[in-house]
Amino acid sequence: AAVRAGGGANHRFGLDDAILIKDNHVAVCGGVAEAVRRARAFAPHLMKVEVEVDGLDQLEAVLGLIAEGAAPDVVMLDNFSLDDLRTAVARVAGRLTLEASGGVDLTTVRGIAETGVDVISVGALTHSAPVLDIGLDAL
């Protein structure tokens, strides 16, 4: 609820809402393209597939899947530099949704947004949120 109240949008509510391919899945499958192919073969036709890439070389492998009709819906650009984010946006040229992730905070978000990515995810909203201690023992 706090994400929406702040003007953001939740992208999922559970692990079964979409398929997210992370680096450990890529390693087990022998590469990013094969991991996406396997996910696409498994996924129902309305389920979105997102893949995390950690470099422009992996992005190129994902772009090769477009002609096969096996491309993911979203590519998460994990811990990319601003220059690499700009390069990724130019290479994708609107063919896939690009999500920037990693190192996002109030000091970096504007620069990330200015690269032209479609979505910016902020993990700190969940993993670094301060705790609110609500005690009823004073009553």
Side-chain angles (χ1 to χ4, degrees):
V3 171
R4 289 180 169 225
N10 297 86
H11 66 283
R12 69 174 191 235
F13 291 95
L15 293 177
D16 60 345
D17 291 342
I19 295 174
L20 175 57
I21 303 166
K22 302 279 286 176
D23 54 354
N24 55 338
H25 304 117
V26 169
V28 167
C29 291
V32 68
E34 183 59 23
V36 174
R37 280 186 199 102
R38 289 184 188 187
R40 274 282 174 228
F42 170 81
H45 72 285
L46 292 177
M47 183 172 281
K48 291 201 178 236
V49 174
E50 179 173 7
V51 64
E52 175 186 82
V53 299
D54 59 18
L56 293 171
D57 57 333
Q58 286 186 328
L59 178 63
E60 287 302 318
V62 170
L63 291 176
L65 296 170
I66 293 173
E68 293 179 31
D73 300 288
V74 181
V75 178
M76 180 191 299
L77 307 170
D78 190 39
N79 292 307
F80 274 43
S81 68
L82 293 178
D83 285 340
D84 284 351
L85 287 172
R86 283 189 276 283
T87 299
V89 168
R91 288 185 186 172
V92 170
R95 295 176 288 173
L96 302 169
T97 298
L98 291 177
E99 175 182 345
S101 179
V104 180
D105 61 32
L106 291 176
T107 65
T108 62
V109 70
R110 178 178 294 277
I112 294 168
E114 289 173 348
T115 67
V117 295
D118 301 296
V119 178
I120 301 171
S121 62
V122 184
L125 288 173
T126 54
H127 66 65
S128 298
V131 175
L132 176 60
D133 184 11
I134 299 175
L136 300 175
D137 50 345
L139 296 177

